[in-house]
Amino acid sequence: MPYDIIIRNAMIIDGTNTPAYAGDVGILNDKIAAIGELSEAHANTEIDAQGNVLAPGFIDVHTHDDTNVIRQPECLPKISQGITTTIVGNCGISASPATLTMPPPDPMNLLGQQADFQYPTFASYAEAVTAAEPAVNVAALVGHTTLRNNVMDDLFTGATDEQVAQMRHTLREALEQGALGLSSGLAYASANASPEEEVQQLALELSEFGGIYTTHMRTEFEGILGAMDEAFRVGQKAKVPVIISHLKCAGAGNWGRTHDVLKKMDNAAAHQDIACDCYPYSASSSTLDLKQVTDDIDIFITWSETLPEYAGKMLKQIALDMDLPLMDAAKALQPAGAVYHCMDEADVERVLKYKLTMIGSDGLPNDPHPHPRLWGAFPRVLGYYSRERNIFSLETAIHKMTGLSANRFRLAGRGEIKAGNFADLVLFDKNEITDVADYDRPIAAAKGIVAVIVNGNIAYTEKQGVISRAGRFLARRSQ
Ligand SMILES: [Zn+2]
C-alpha cells in the first residue's frame, strides 16, 4: 500500500502513557494509516527518524491565542514547540461570541484591541479561523466574562435574571455551533462580582451538548480550597466535567499547600469528572492586578500603556525610580502587564506530577515581553522536568500533553498515535529538546523539535521553520 509519508525508525511514544517502542508510521491523506514495520512500503516522502521520539502532536489546553491564530496564522510560538492543537477562550475571556462597543475590559485586553474582536457569533469566529488557515488546529471555549461584557454595562456587579437569560441564550447558540464549553475567570475584577449562582445558571446549558466547564478560580491564594469547592459544585449541579485552570498555590503565605489542594482534587475525583492544567514555571503572568501587588515577591512589568518607558523593569525598582510606594507606582502604570514570581518550585513539581494534570502554556501572545511559557512550556516539561529533574518518564510527560488532554477536552481522533487517527505528530530529539526562552529573553524557539506534522502535512521543521498551514477549526464532536 502506498503512503504519502512514511516515518521510519522512530521511537514511538503513543500518548497513552505506555512504554515507547520502535517502529515506522505510514500516513495517507490526513490520517495515520499504519504503524509497525513498513520496510516493504513506499511513500512520496520518507523521513528517517534516526531513533528520535515520534509523539502525537501536543495539545495546548490552555491558551489565549483567540485572535492570534487569525492575525498571525503561522502560529510560530506554538508549532515550534510541537503543538498541533491550541484550545482558546480560557480564563473567562474569548474572542467570540463578542460584541464590543468600547475597548476590551481587563483582562479581555490580553486578546487584542477592540478592532480584533470581530466575531459576534461563535460560527463567525470558526469561519474566520478556517479562512485564516492557521498552522495548528484550533478549538474554542466561550468565556463567561465575554458573555457578561456583551450584556452588562457594569461588570463590577452580578448579572440580573434577564442578563443571565441573555447569556444563556448566547452560550447555547455557541454550543450548537461547536464550542467546547464554558470558561470562567472569577479571580478577575470583571467577573469577581458574579455570584456562584450566575455561573451555575450558565453551566446548566453545557451537559446537553457534552460541554465542559473550565475555571480560573475565584482565588489561588489563601482561600483556594473554598474556590475549588465552588468550582466542583458548579460541575456537580450541572453534571459536567470541571477543569481547574493553571492549578497553583499563589502567594508566599500559601506555599506548600499543594498537598491539601491535591488531596482535595483526589476527593472530588472520586465522585465527579475533574482534571486540571498547569504550566511548568514558578512565576505567573497576566495583567497587573493591584490585589497581587506585594513586596513579598518579585513582580516584573512587561508592558504599561500609560508609562511604557517602565516596561521591562521590576516593580520595586520602578517604585524607587518614581519615589512612590509600591502600590502607587502600580496604579500609575495601569493598564499594564506583569510577571509575578509567586510560586514555590516544589508546589509546581507536585502539581505537574499529579495524575490529572495536563500541560497548558497559558502563553500571552500579545505581550511585548511575554512570560517564557509562550515559547517554552512544552519543551520545558520534556527537557527540564522529565530529562533533567526526572519528575516523570517521557511517556508520562507526553501523555499529559496529548492523550489525557484529547480525552478531557473531548477532541475526537487526536492525542494518540493509532491507526485511523488524524496525523498530528511531532518528531523530537529527547536528548536535545530544551526550552530556550527565559525571563530575560522570552522570544525564542525551542531546540530539538525536528519536525511537526499537522493533518498529514509537514508543517514545521527546525531547519526550515513553518512549511505549511494545515490546521483546522475543531468543532465539538464533528471533527
Ligand atoms: Zn487564567
Side-chain angles (χ1 to χ4, degrees):
M1 185 174 174
Y3 300 101
D4 294 324
I5 302 174
I6 295 177
I7 301 166
R8 300 190 188 279
N9 308 314
M11 181 57 62
I12 298 172
I13 298 184
D14 68 6
T16 63
N17 207 10
T18 52
Y21 61 96
D24 310 329
V25 169
I27 297 167
L28 188 60
N29 300 319
D30 58 352
K31 300 272 170 54
I32 295 168
I35 305 162
E37 212 275 308
L38 303 177
S39 58
E40 300 293 305
H42 298 284
N44 296 333
T45 305
E46 305 211 358
I47 299 171
D48 181 0
Q50 299 178 322
N52 282 325
V53 172
L54 185 68
F58 305 145
I59 298 169
D60 191 348
V61 296
H62 191 107
T63 85
H64 300 291
D65 299 322
D66 299 54
T67 70
N68 299 77
V69 293
I70 297 166
R71 293 186 289 130
Q72 290 127 18
E74 292 205 331
C75 305
L76 199 55
K78 306 277 117 174
I79 197 91
S80 64
Q81 293 185 60
I83 294 165
T84 57
T85 297
T86 179
I87 297 178
V88 306
N90 279 282
C91 296
I93 55 173
S94 58
S96 83
T99 313
L100 265 63
T101 52
M102 282 192 295
D106 180 298
M108 282 175 71
N109 54 1
L110 292 173
L111 302 183
Q113 321 261 332
Q114 186 175 351
D116 301 321
F117 288 83
Q118 298 177 5
Y119 317 105
T121 63
F122 190 84
S124 66
Y125 175 72
E127 273 168 36
V129 170
T130 303
E133 300 180 0
V136 300
N137 301 308
V138 180
L141 298 155
V142 171
H144 170 226
T145 302
T146 294
L147 293 175
R148 302 186 100 227
N149 192 56
N150 288 341
V151 298
M152 297 173 71
D153 295 325
D154 175 9
L155 296 174
F156 306 104
T157 165
T160 63
D161 289 348
E162 197 192 323
Q163 288 165 336
V164 170
Q166 284 175 290
M167 290 193 277
R168 279 184 73 153
H169 176 80
T170 307
L171 174 60
R172 189 178 180 82
E173 204 170 69
L175 290 163
E176 284 166 357
Q177 295 167 358
L180 292 185
L182 173 72
S183 78
S184 71
L186 301 175
Y188 290 104
S190 47
N192 195 253
S194 163
E196 181 177 333
E197 181 58 21
E198 179 184 315
V199 180
Q200 184 69 65
Q201 286 294 320
L202 295 178
L204 290 175
E205 295 292 340
L206 297 169
S207 68
E208 185 185 326
F209 297 93
I212 58 172
Y213 173 58
T214 77
T215 179
H216 175 159
M217 297 186 290
R218 209 172 278 280
T219 180
E220 297 169 332
F221 290 79
E222 202 187 340
I224 184 169
L225 297 178
M228 292 173 77
D229 282 327
E230 177 182 23
F232 297 151
R233 276 195 302 270
V234 167
Q236 204 165 25
K237 286 190 199 158
K239 300 188 175 60
V240 296
V242 177
I243 291 163
I244 307 285
S245 297
H246 43 59
L247 183 60
K248 68 171 83 68
C249 286
N254 213 17
W255 290 352
R257 290 187 69 213
T258 48
H259 288 293
D260 300 338
V261 162
L262 296 178
K263 202 176 292 167
K264 195 166 194 69
M265 289 288 290
D266 274 339
N267 290 342
H271 54 83
Q272 72 184 105
D273 187 350
I274 62 159
C276 58
D277 61 67
C278 179
Y279 49 80
Y281 297 86
S282 59
S284 67
S285 183
S286 189
T287 47
L288 177 60
D289 173 12
L290 297 180
K291 278 192 305 194
Q292 295 191 48
V293 170
T294 163
D295 53 16
D296 290 349
I297 59 161
D298 282 335
I299 299 174
F300 178 85
I301 299 300
T302 60
W303 56 272
S304 164
E305 221 167 272
T306 38
L307 298 168
E309 62 273 26
Y310 286 112
K313 290 187 171 167
M314 288 292 177
L315 181 59
K316 272 178 201 164
Q317 187 58 50
I318 297 170
L320 281 177
D321 291 355
M322 293 169 81
D323 199 18
L324 285 175
L326 207 61
M327 185 58 80
D328 292 347
K331 283 181 186 159
L333 291 164
Q334 281 196 317
V339 170
Y340 308 87
H341 292 269
C342 65
M343 284 171 259
D344 177 33
E345 185 57 36
D347 281 327
V348 175
E349 291 197 357
R350 227 171 271 129
V351 174
L352 282 172
K353 277 164 76 171
Y354 183 58
K355 61 178 189 271
L356 297 174
T357 300
M358 299 168 275
I359 308 304
S361 71
D362 203 6
L364 301 176
N366 298 308
D367 196 312
H369 188 113
H371 185 301
R373 66 196 185 190
L374 174 66
W375 287 83
F378 286 74
R380 183 170 170 81
V381 170
L382 300 169
Y384 180 66
Y385 283 106
S386 179
R387 183 183 61 228
E388 290 179 30
R389 296 280 304 150
N390 200 21
I391 69 167
F392 37 44
S393 67
L394 203 51
E395 285 88 343
T396 297
I398 287 172
H399 176 60
K400 288 172 172 290
M401 37 183 91
T402 58
L404 182 62
S405 318
N407 176 280
R408 291 304 162 137
F409 280 82
R410 301 180 169 181
L411 302 175
R414 305 195 189 259
E416 290 178 17
I417 297 184
K418 163 169 118 175
N421 264 12
F422 290 97
D424 290 348
L425 298 162
V426 53
L427 186 66
F428 69 89
D429 181 334
K430 70 178 166 58
N431 301 314
E432 275 279 308
I433 192 153
T434 307
D435 55 308
V436 177
D438 61 20
Y439 292 102
D440 293 327
R441 290 164 190 249
I443 298 176
K447 266 201 323 208
I449 300 286
V450 178
V452 185
I453 293 176
V454 177
N455 293 312
N457 297 275
I458 299 173
Y460 173 89
T461 68
E462 193 162 29
K463 291 200 181 91
Q464 289 175 272
V466 178
I467 295 169
S468 72
R469 299 183 350 222
R472 296 177 185 166
F473 188 82
L474 307 183
R476 182 185 32 75
R477 278 207 216 109
S478 59
Q479 292 132 25

